[in-house]
């Protein structure tokens, strides 16, 4: 992992990113709009690229009431670790 990736992949950074994303509504609004544009339907398998701590993953689950399989992909393991804490029902796979 490069030096920049090492800096990005810390628990402290993941927590700061998560707090920012939750409080800066542009992230939620953009995720909701992306999900609507993708026309995600129940029963689909959806890949959430650059999933971070799960803002878009949450928007997908809310859109289809959890009846979807999601593959959440991110290069920062600590981002995914935070997302794993949020999504424990088994319909999200983390890569």
């Amino acid at each position: 992992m490069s030096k920049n990736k090492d800096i990005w992949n810390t628990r402290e950074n993941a927590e700061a990113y998560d707090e920012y994303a939750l409080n800066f509504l542009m992230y939620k609004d953009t995720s909701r709009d992306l999900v609507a544009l993708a026309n995600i339907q129940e029963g689909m398998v959806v890949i959430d690229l650059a999933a971070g701590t799960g803002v878009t993953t949450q928007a997908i689950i809310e859109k289809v009431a959890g009846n979807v399989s999601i593959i959440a992909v991110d290069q920062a393991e600590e981002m995914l670790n935070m997302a794993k804490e949020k999504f424990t029902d088994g319909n999200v796979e983390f890569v």
Side-chain angles (χ1 to χ4, degrees), residues 4-78:
N4 287 339
K5 287 181 183 177
D6 288 341
I7 293 168
W8 184 250
N9 189 28
T10 65
R11 180 66 182 203
E12 179 181 57
N13 190 62
E15 288 172 351
Y17 173 84
D18 192 54
E19 183 176 342
Y20 186 79
L22 292 174
N23 292 309
F24 192 58
L25 295 180
M26 180 195 76
Y27 281 88
K28 287 183 180 182
D29 292 345
T30 301
S31 292
R32 183 198 63 234
D33 292 348
L34 285 170
V35 171
L37 285 169
N39 195 28
I40 295 171
Q41 304 294 315
E42 289 187 17
M44 287 183 158
V45 176
V46 180
I47 298 174
D48 182 1
L49 293 175
T53 60
V55 176
T56 303
T57 300
Q58 183 65 45
I60 294 166
I61 289 169
E62 288 173 2
K63 166 84 165 84
V64 294
N67 297 320
V68 65
S69 295
I70 302 168
I71 302 169
V73 180
D74 202 285
Q75 72 174 355
E77 185 178 353
E78 288 300 326

